[in-house]
Amino acid sequence: MLKVRLMGTKNDIKWFGKILQRNPKIEVTEFSDLYPNKGTKRFHRAYVEVRKSNVKEKQ
């Protein structure tokens, strides 16, 4: 499992999130809300958890 921070404009983050969700090799397990970056109104961040598709994690 990977935890990834996306940073950019709202549109860029949404665009890349759709790419991640459509990719058959990975499964998006969690996608956070958008948070504004301090000091700017243009850029935001979001946090995503992904893992390889068809792979069971040890519990």
Side-chain angles (χ1 to χ4, degrees):
M1 186 235 337
L2 293 172
K3 293 184 180 187
V4 182
R5 180 174 64 181
L6 304 177
M7 293 178 62
T9 64
K10 287 181 180 182
N11 287 337
D12 289 340
I13 293 171
K14 290 176 185 177
W15 164 75
F16 196 73
K18 288 178 184 178
I19 290 173
L20 290 175
Q21 291 172 341
R22 291 179 185 157
N23 189 327
K25 293 183 178 184
I26 62 172
E27 178 185 347
V28 176
T29 57
E30 195 173 318
F31 203 106
S32 75
D33 294 331
L34 291 172
Y35 300 101
N37 281 351
K38 293 182 181 178
T40 179
K41 292 183 181 181
R42 181 173 180 214
F43 295 108
H44 293 75
R45 66 189 185 282
Y47 301 93
V48 184
E49 281 189 12
V50 297
R51 65 178 178 178
K52 293 179 184 178
S53 289
N54 302 324
V55 176
K56 293 183 180 179
E57 287 189 16
K58 294 180 181 179
Q59 294 184 5

